[in-house]
Amino acid sequence: MRLGLALGYWGRGPDPRHLELAREAERLGYHSVWTAESWGSDAFTPLTWIAAHTSRIRLGTAVAQMAARTPTATAMHALTLDHLSGGRMMLGLGLSGPQVVEGWYGRPFPRSPLTATREYVDVIRQVLRREAPVRLEGRHHPLPYDGPDATGLGRPLKPIVHPLRADLPVLLGAEGPKNIAQTVRIADGWLPLYWSPLRAGLYAEALAEAREGFTVAAMAQVRVCADVAEGLKPVKAMLGFYIGGMGHAARNFHADLMARLGYGDEARRVQELFLAGRRAEAIDAVPDAFADEISLVGPRERIAERLEMWRSGPVTDLLALSPDEETLRVLAELNG
């Protein structure tokens, strides 16, 4: 199982630790470093900064939001950074939810998310192959655009730049069963959210169809500490925000995923408290058991024991949300 460093997105401003963590991860032999975006910092600019200060570690987005850019614009970002980094780019994409797509990006959330994702990946693949001008008779991403307000002057184009790699890896963040099954068919890897090694069987059927070399890159908060309950607090805070605040009461993909993992009643309670403005109580309501099974927290010996469960399943890459260099070092030593 390869190791990656997940840096997420910025809070109020850039985290001064991120560059040093990335450089230390490279020194320790980590395979990859990943950035994210929500409605603040973008995913590609910090990754470019890291690329300029490293030489070997792979560079991934986990995830770049599809609503933020047209598929051709995303392909331009990816091929540009792939050239500048010497072929280290890994493009992770996610659809996000209606609250972000419509509330931040000002675009309609697709009524057919699977079709929208499939079209998006199709366009990116065409750009990277550069075999012909890009064409797609699509519902969501038609090229050339031929909508009711079109001038009719658009013409198919192919990139001026020759992409460094036609097979630049494309990974998808997917949560629902149908989305995961499609990811196995059209992408080079899957970026699962809230991976529990105790429940890997939930995905066995979909992953059985994965071709050789398919990447399963699961993210987890990792923290070496003496007090497990104390170490789980940041995990619970993250879960409280995502399950309670990253979606509508009637449509929250994160809460739905928590329910599929066996915590439906608890997910609804977290939502109720968060949406009522009782955020501290919402975080407290996140079950310690759930936070624990999707993370690696505690003394070195405990992390070593639980790491064996991660290695025994289909996960190919563990992307560690880790706050300090010591935790990165311990994880590298335990993973061998």
Side-chain angles (χ1 to χ4, degrees):
M1 185 174 65
R2 300 178 300 198
L3 296 179
L5 169 65
L7 296 174
Y9 44 77
W10 298 351
R12 294 186 177 184
D15 191 323
R17 302 171 301 169
H18 280 181
L19 181 56
E20 287 310 310
L21 285 172
R23 295 174 72 173
E24 179 65 6
E26 180 174 73
R27 190 189 69 79
L28 291 168
Y30 278 58
H31 175 259
S32 56
V33 57
W34 302 75
T35 56
E37 59 189 10
S38 54
W39 50 89
S41 58
D42 78 279
F44 290 100
T45 308
L47 207 58
T48 304
W49 183 252
I50 292 168
H53 292 83
T54 56
S55 59
R56 300 183 309 278
I57 197 165
R58 304 291 178 88
L59 309 156
T61 54
V63 293
Q65 296 181 327
M66 286 185 261
R69 307 163 189 87
T70 64
T72 46
T74 297
M76 288 167 62
H77 275 294
L79 71 85
T80 302
L81 184 48
D82 201 44
H83 266 291
L84 292 174
S85 66
R88 291 189 279 154
M89 180 66 199
M90 303 169 71
L91 180 60
L93 301 169
L95 195 59
S96 194
Q99 292 71 30
V100 175
V101 173
E102 297 181 0
W104 182 248
Y105 295 116
R107 302 182 61 185
F109 187 78
R111 294 186 180 275
S112 304
L114 293 177
T115 302
T117 299
R118 191 165 57 250
E119 290 182 7
Y120 203 100
V121 172
D122 186 347
V123 170
I124 288 174
R125 300 282 202 200
Q126 289 190 53
V127 173
L128 294 175
R129 288 195 299 266
R130 201 181 178 273
E131 294 173 346
V134 180
R135 295 177 182 270
L136 184 71
E137 294 182 9
R139 175 178 177 182
H140 301 277
H141 303 289
L143 283 174
Y145 176 73
D146 59 356
D149 56 345
T151 64
L153 301 177
R155 63 187 181 92
L157 301 169
K158 63 180 180 180
I160 298 169
V161 175
H162 291 239
L164 187 64
R165 293 181 295 162
D167 60 349
L168 186 154
V170 177
L171 299 87
L172 294 174
E175 297 179 30
K178 292 181 180 179
N179 202 349
I180 295 168
Q182 175 173 270
T183 296
V184 169
R185 294 194 301 271
I186 69 172
D188 301 301
W190 174 36
L191 294 159
L193 186 67
Y194 311 154
W195 177 266
S196 169
L198 302 176
R199 305 171 197 273
L202 290 172
Y203 310 108
E205 184 176 351
L207 293 178
E209 303 299 320
R211 61 187 176 278
E212 185 177 353
F214 187 81
T215 297
V216 179
M219 195 176 299
Q221 291 204 36
V222 184
R223 190 178 303 263
V224 178
C225 58
D227 188 332
V228 175
E230 188 68 22
L232 287 174
K233 286 183 178 179
V235 186
K236 294 180 64 169
M238 176 271 294
L239 288 169
F241 174 67
Y242 272 74
I243 293 161
M246 291 281 276
H248 189 271
R251 193 169 189 184
N252 184 311
F253 301 137
H254 305 291
D256 293 345
L257 176 56
M258 183 175 171
R260 283 195 294 274
L261 292 172
Y263 295 90
D265 292 341
E266 294 86 345
R268 283 188 290 274
R269 182 58 177 160
V270 171
Q271 276 190 295
E272 291 170 1
L273 291 168
F274 196 97
L275 295 174
R278 298 156 64 182
R279 297 192 175 192
E281 293 177 65
I283 292 170
D284 288 341
V286 174
D288 283 9
F290 179 55
D292 195 27
E293 68 179 81
I294 65 167
S295 61
L296 287 161
V297 172
R300 178 188 177 107
E301 296 75 18
R302 186 175 193 269
I303 290 178
E305 179 181 337
R306 298 174 74 83
L307 192 61
E308 289 303 316
M309 292 190 294
W310 285 76
R311 277 200 289 253
S312 66
V315 172
T316 62
D317 296 69
L318 170 60
L319 311 185
L321 279 159
S322 181
D324 60 86
E325 294 182 8
E326 176 62 15
T327 293
L328 291 181
R329 183 186 62 79
V330 170
L331 186 61
E333 291 173 355
L334 293 176
N335 196 52

